[in-house]
Structures are given as structure tokens and as C-alpha cells.
Amino acid sequence: MRRTIREFEEYVYRSYTEEQWGKGGERLTFLHSTHPYLSLPKYSRFNKKYQYPYVFLNDEPFTEIFKTSIRQLTDAPIEFGLVPNSMWSVPDSVNQTVMNEKMSEMQSQNILYGGSLSYRHMCRFNSGFFYRHPLIAKYDYYWRVEPGVHFYCDLDYDPFLFMQDNNKKYSFTITLQEIPQTIPTLWDHTMKFAHANNLETNFLRMFGDEENGYNMCHFWSNFEIASLDLWRDNRYQAYFSYLDSTGNFFYERWGDAIVHSLAAGMFLNKSEVHFFNDIGYKHDNFAHCVDDGIFGKCMCPEDTANFDYGWGSCLPTWNEFPENGVRWDFKSNGDQIIGEEGRVVSKPEYALSKKKSSSPKKSSKSSSSS
């Protein structure tokens, strides 16, 4: 189904402050909803207790009717903001003739959202811009929610404090494989970036290896609770800038879920990523919900199977990946150093001259800070 720009531009944010909750810093929940007047009541499983403010963003001003309708649905504070054109447009560096040809080709192949420009804007915005919006500058954490999602479990604790207290930077409920035709060169470009910047990783091998390449696994970003410092980190911003320079958010159909997942693989340890097993969730035809019994907190749908171990799920890959990670370091000469034994694999196709290498320094608000 082809969706309009407006369907991918309505974003809802929720936050709470130090004064309200007695904890340092502010936290933010980022919700994305096509029809918030249908979706907001679903958050009664969580927000009825915390009353987090909502912030809506759109590329065109919201109507007063829309604002009034939203305000009638919640007692929580609400803000409405505008996404600037610079965050939701085709860059001058992109050849739009080529872009349109590529989009038509993907649409003719019936690739999901293959012919949608609005979807590409959404993915690029979520990959590199939402955390830079002025309304988001003061926040530390966010929660994202997509149109038409369902939540099946009562949540009686604060996930933001859980993330903060346990040094978690990113979280998910569903992890699955991507459509290969949408990202034919993304892994290759990620490898080039890793080599150019001499990255040292121990979580990236959950997503691939030197022999087989990318396994297509990713965390489904329509549900995200994460630290904004992960994306504000200079390393991530350099990664996004490099990917954006290729034009392949438009020539191909790179999704923000893949970009976020590979970034987590490069910049985080597994211990900094959390699987919210106790949050029952459904998006499209995929659901995660664990039946905890008739006296439990979840009411899982009888007509939707738990996807955790279904075909295409990457949860087994997550479960099997070592908690302490696996070393996978990259050198600008094309060498890769693997495992505790330091096995060296040479990839000369990734060897770059020093003048092409940029080594971003870690920002003061780094994702690995406590």
C-alpha cells in the first residue's frame, strides 16, 4: 500500500522532567502515528500512569481541528511542531532523474514501498534528523510508535529509568530480516565506513560476517526506546553523513531500522541493548506477546501468532549471540581482526587512503557514557 507524506510525518513525543520524577535529565518518548486520535487511547496501558507530554511534528502546520481533536484525548501536555524542509526533502546532490528511474524499477518489481518518495523521506528523517529537531534538543530518551500498532501488556514500571539505571542505550521487541532488494549496497558501505574509521566492535557480528556479508537481521524501529545520545554521538553522525552522501536513501530504499541496527552493532555492546520481552506489541502482521497466564499483565491476541521464533525472525540470532560479544576490528588497510585469537582476514577492496578516512571523535554526550 502506498502511503502519503502526511501518513509518515506525524510524530508524537512524550517526556518527563527532573522536577517531576526526581531523576537527573529529561526523557522523551517519540511516537509516530498516522491517526493519533485512534492510537492515543492504546497508551492507557502506560501513559495513564505517567502522563508524559506529547509532541507532534509534521512538514506542514497542523490544523486547529486536528489540534483540538488530539487535546480531547489526553490530559497530558501536548506540543505541535513543524519539520523544516531541510529535514524532509531530496538533497541537491541526488540526481532526481536517476532516483525516479530507480523508484519506478522497484515499484515494477513489487518491492514494498519501492515507488514511494514519502517513505524514503521518512527513513532518511528517522535516520539522521529527528534527534536534531529543536523541540527534541533538551531530551535524553525517546519512545517511538507507528500507525496502527497495538500494545497488549500493562507496563507498571518506567522503561526510561530502567534503561538509564541499567546502562541500556537501545531496545526492541521484534527483530527480523530485511527485504534484500531494498539495501543492495548498504552493508558494503558500512564495511567501508568501518575500515575508514578503524572501528573496534564486538556486537556487529550479530548482523553478518566477513564471508557471508549481511544476514539481513535488524531491530524493527517502529518500536524503539533508546537514548538520543546514541544518535548525537559524533561517530553515528559521521556514519549517517557518509551514508547520506551516497544518495542511496533515494536510489535504493534504505530503511532507518537497518541504519539504526548496524549503528548499534558498530557502537554498542550487546549489554547496552535490551529486549523488552514484557511489552506485548503488534505492527502489521508481526507480533511479540508472551502469554503470562490469566492473572498476568498481558492479553495476547488469539488471532495473531507470536513471531519470536517464526520464519524470518532474528530473535534466535539475538539469543545465540554471546553476551560478551565477538571481537571484529577494522583497519584502514583492509585488514579485519576477528575473535580473541586475533585472526586476521584481508579485505583489500576496503583499503582506503588516509586522505579519504575521517575518524570522528566521540562526542561529550556519548552513547557509551553512563
Side-chain angles (χ1 to χ4, degrees):
M1 179 181 67
R2 188 180 178 119
R3 290 180 173 174
T4 66
I5 290 178
R6 187 175 184 86
E7 286 181 283
F8 286 108
E9 287 175 316
E10 293 166 1
Y11 294 87
V12 187
Y13 294 82
R14 298 184 293 187
S15 71
Y16 56 83
T17 65
E18 179 178 359
E19 289 74 21
Q20 289 173 298
W21 300 103
K23 282 283 187 176
E26 295 182 344
R27 292 141 188 101
L28 166 73
T29 306
F30 161 36
L31 307 177
H32 170 190
S33 180
T34 304
H35 301 293
Y37 51 87
L38 296 178
S39 301
L40 286 178
K42 300 179 190 304
Y43 306 127
S44 62
R45 291 189 176 275
F46 176 63
N47 204 34
K48 66 181 179 182
K49 178 178 180 179
Y50 293 99
Q51 288 291 288
Y52 293 166
Y54 296 89
V55 180
F56 287 68
L57 299 181
N58 197 33
D59 76 318
E60 58 187 44
F62 291 103
T63 66
E64 290 304 316
I65 293 176
F66 179 88
K67 293 178 181 179
T68 300
S69 299
I70 294 300
R71 291 190 179 109
Q72 291 175 347
L73 293 172
T74 178
D75 294 327
I78 303 173
E79 291 182 277
F80 298 92
L82 191 65
V83 176
N85 186 64
S86 60
M87 294 183 177
W88 197 281
S89 56
V90 179
D92 292 339
S93 59
V94 170
N95 185 319
Q96 295 199 35
T97 299
V98 175
M99 177 191 75
N100 289 325
E101 290 174 352
K102 296 291 186 182
M103 288 171 54
S104 296
E105 180 180 342
M106 293 182 72
Q107 186 173 24
S108 69
Q109 297 171 356
N110 294 319
I111 295 172
L112 187 64
Y113 304 123
S116 173
L117 180 58
S118 63
Y119 188 87
R120 286 165 168 81
H121 284 314
M122 180 199 71
C123 291
R124 182 171 177 260
F125 175 75
N126 286 335
S127 294
F129 296 104
F130 86 89
Y131 57 88
R132 307 186 203 198
H133 192 280
L135 289 180
I136 313 306
K138 60 186 176 181
Y139 299 117
D140 293 330
Y141 292 87
Y142 70 97
W143 181 341
R144 172 178 167 181
V145 181
E146 287 277 349
V149 301
H150 300 272
F151 292 92
Y152 298 108
C153 304
D154 291 330
L155 195 61
D156 56 5
Y157 67 93
D158 189 324
F160 299 112
L161 290 183
F162 172 85
M163 298 279 287
Q164 177 178 277
D165 293 345
N166 293 277
N167 195 34
K168 304 294 184 181
K169 311 300 183 186
Y170 190 85
S171 65
F172 69 97
T173 57
I174 294 175
T175 176
L176 72 172
Q177 292 180 317
E178 176 61 304
I179 302 169
Q181 295 90 336
T182 65
I183 51 165
T185 67
L186 181 52
W187 179 260
D188 193 52
H189 281 296
T190 300
M191 291 292 99
K192 290 178 180 178
F193 177 85
H195 279 282
N197 292 284
N198 294 289
L199 294 186
E200 297 179 355
T201 77
N202 65 19
F203 184 42
L204 187 58
R205 286 180 79 82
M206 176 183 156
F207 302 99
D209 58 41
E210 69 284 356
E211 294 181 2
N212 301 304
Y214 184 30
N215 60 17
M216 300 295 152
C217 286
H218 64 283
F219 304 122
W220 222 13
S221 62
N222 46 73
F223 174 99
E224 285 184 328
I225 301 176
S227 168
L228 284 158
D229 283 348
L230 174 57
W231 317 130
R232 291 168 177 155
D233 192 303
N234 288 341
R235 297 170 300 173
Y236 176 77
Q237 295 198 56
Y239 177 53
F240 170 76
S241 293
Y242 168 67
L243 295 182
D244 200 33
S245 72
T246 69
N248 286 333
F249 281 101
F250 297 94
Y251 299 139
E252 298 182 13
R253 204 223 66 187
W254 290 357
D256 56 280
I258 318 300
V259 174
H260 284 185
S261 299
L262 294 181
M266 288 189 288
F267 307 134
L268 299 181
N269 302 320
K270 185 181 180 183
S271 64
E272 296 175 296
V273 180
H274 182 66
F275 169 42
F276 272 108
N277 191 40
D278 57 346
I279 296 182
Y281 176 75
K282 178 184 176 183
H283 177 73
D284 288 342
N285 296 320
F286 299 90
H288 161 74
C289 193
V290 177
D291 188 348
D292 57 358
I294 129 183
F295 299 110
K297 299 176 182 178
C298 298
M299 297 181 63
C300 299
E302 296 181 357
D303 61 345
T304 304
N306 189 349
F307 179 67
D308 288 0
Y309 298 99
W311 183 87
S313 172
C314 292
L315 190 61
T317 304
W318 161 264
N319 290 337
E320 294 165 6
F321 193 80
E323 291 300 317
N324 293 328
V326 178
R327 179 187 182 188
W328 195 9
D329 298 344
F330 301 85
K331 303 298 180 182
S332 59
N333 66 359
D335 286 351
Q336 298 179 5
I337 304 174
I338 302 164
E340 291 303 316
E341 69 280 9
R343 178 169 60 92
V344 178
V345 174
S346 180
K347 294 287 186 177
E349 64 270 29
Y350 297 129
L352 298 177
S353 63
K354 292 184 179 180
K355 65 179 181 180
K356 294 183 180 180
S357 173
S358 61
S359 300
K361 294 181 180 179
K362 193 174 178 181
S363 69
S364 59
K365 299 183 76 174
S366 166
S367 61
S368 62
S369 62
S370 58

